[in-house]
Amino acid sequence: MTRRAVVIGTGHYLPERVVENAEFEKTLDTTDEWIRSRSGIERRHFAAEGETTSDMAAAAAKAALAEAGMEAESVDAIVLATSTADLTFPSAATMVQSKLGMTRGFAFDVQAVCAGFAYALANANALILSGQADRVLVIGAETFSRIMDWTDRSTCVLFGDGAGALLLEAQESAGTSDDRGILATDLNSDGRYKDLLYVDGGVSTQNTGHLRMQGNQVFRHAVEKLAKTANTALERANLTTADVDWIVPHQANIRIIQGTAKKMGLSMDNVVVTVQDHGNTSAASIPLALSVGKSRGQIKEGDLIVTEAIGGGLAWGAVVLRW
Ligand code: UT7
C-alpha cells in the first residue's frame, strides 16, 4: 500500500465587487475590446476596503472544510500560497489558522507568485508523504489590487482578487495511477528572468511598490515552459497527455492557455477556463478554477488533472493528480 494525498474538499471565495473591462475606459487609454482580445479577461473581482488576503483565504478554507464535512481541529497544517499577505509577518497562514479557530498543527506561507499554488501543493504533498501531516489545507489567496499601478494600462487591467482552497487527506491506496491523489509534481525557477515580472518595492526598500511586467516577454516564456513542465510531471506519473481529462491552468491569459493546450496536443474542451470572470488572481487562480470547475460539473471524481502555472521569478511548475 502507498500513502497518497487525496483531495477531499474544495472551496473558493470571490469578493463582492465586480469590475467590468468598460470601467477602465473611463480612466485609461484602453478598451474592453483590447483587454478581451489580448487577454480573454472580461471582468475581475476586487477586495473591499479592509478586506484582506487572510479573510478571503479563511472563507475559501471554511468552504473546503464544509464540503469535506471536517472540523478545522482535524487539520494538521495550512500551506498558503500568496505574494500579498496581510502583514510583513506573521504569515497569512497563521492568521487563517486563528480565523478557523484552529489551535493545533502548523501554518506557513509559500511565496512563488503566480506559480505559488503548484509550489504549495508540492510542499503539502511532501508533508503528507513523509508522514508529518495527515490532513493539510492548501490555499491560494491574493489581493493583487493592492499592488497595481492604476496609471499603467499594460498591467492594471489584468489582475484580480480572490481565494481558493483544497483539503488534502492522507489515504492508503494500491499506488497505481488509477488511484486517487497527487501523482507527480514538477517545480522550476530561473532567477535570471527576475526583471520580467516583479514588484518595485518591499520591506527592505521601505515601500510596498507596484507590479511591473514585460508582458510580451513573459508570454514568450509561458507557453514553452508550461507545456514542458506539464509533460515532465505527466512522465513522472508514467502517464501521457492522452490520459488527461482536464488541464486546470493558471489563468493569466486565454492565448497562453490555448497555446499551452495546443502544444500539449489537447483540445480546449479539456481545459477549465475562468480567466474571463476572474482575471489573473496569481496564486489563487488554480484553486479557484479547480473549485469553480468542480461546481460547474466539469471536474469529477476519478478525473486525471494537470495544473500548470508560471509567474515572477520566473518560477513555474505543474502538478498531476487523480481527483
Ligand atoms: O501571471 C503571471 C504571468 N503573467 C502572464 O502570463 C502575462 C503574460 N503576458 C500577457 O498576458 C500579454 O503579454 C499581455 C496581455 C500583457 C499583453 O498582450 P501582448 O499581445 O503581449 O501585447 P504587448 O504587450 O506586445 O502590447 C501591444 C500593444 C502596445 O502598443 P504598441 O507598442 O504596439 O503601440 C501596448 O502599449 O498594446 C498596447 N497596450 C494596450 N493597449 C490598450 C498595452 N496595454 C494596453 C491596454 N489597452 N490595456
Side-chain angles (χ1 to χ4, degrees), residues 121-139:
L121 267 183
N123 273 282
N125 186 44
L127 289 171
I128 286 179
L129 296 191
S130 63
Q132 289 175 85
D134 288 331
R135 227 167 265 137
V136 184
L137 264 171
V138 193
I139 310 170

Side-chain angles (χ1 to χ4, degrees), residues 30 34 38 114 153-154 215-216 250 252-253 255-256 280 310:
T30 191
W34 189 93
R38 302 315 292 165
C114 298
R153 68 176 183 172
S154 71
N216 48 10
H250 170 47
N253 186 314
R255 293 183 295 135
I256 294 176
N280 183 344
I310 186 165

Side-chain angles (χ1 to χ4, degrees), residues 7-82:
V7 177
I8 61 162
T10 54
H12 68 271
Y13 173 85
L14 288 159
E16 208 175 303
R17 183 173 164 221
V18 177
V19 174
E20 301 285 337
N21 288 347
E23 277 286 305
F24 292 100
E25 294 178 358
K26 297 177 190 161
T27 52
L28 292 168
D29 180 15
T30 191
T31 58
D32 170 44
E33 156 60 21
W34 189 93
I35 302 168
R36 217 178 262 257
S37 62
R38 302 315 292 165
S39 72
I41 297 164
E42 296 171 25
R43 61 193 65 81
R44 73 288 290 141
H45 294 247
F46 285 148
E49 208 181 314
E51 190 172 35
T52 65
T53 292
S54 73
D55 291 335
M56 297 193 297
K62 280 179 190 166
L65 286 167
E67 193 187 84
M70 289 286 169
E71 298 295 329
E73 284 296 309
S74 72
V75 174
D76 300 314
I78 298 175
V79 184
L80 171 48
T82 189

Side-chain angles (χ1 to χ4, degrees), residues 178-216:
D178 290 335
D179 297 305
R180 297 185 64 203
I182 294 178
L183 304 179
T185 62
D186 181 56
L187 302 181
N188 311 269
S189 65
D190 189 339
R192 283 177 302 170
Y193 301 117
K194 66 183 169 42
D195 297 334
L196 296 187
L197 175 50
Y198 65 100
V199 170
D200 60 2
V203 185
S204 66
T205 53
Q206 294 296 301
N207 79 86
T208 308
H210 296 110
L211 181 145
R212 306 293 174 203
M213 177 167 72
Q214 293 179 44
N216 48 10

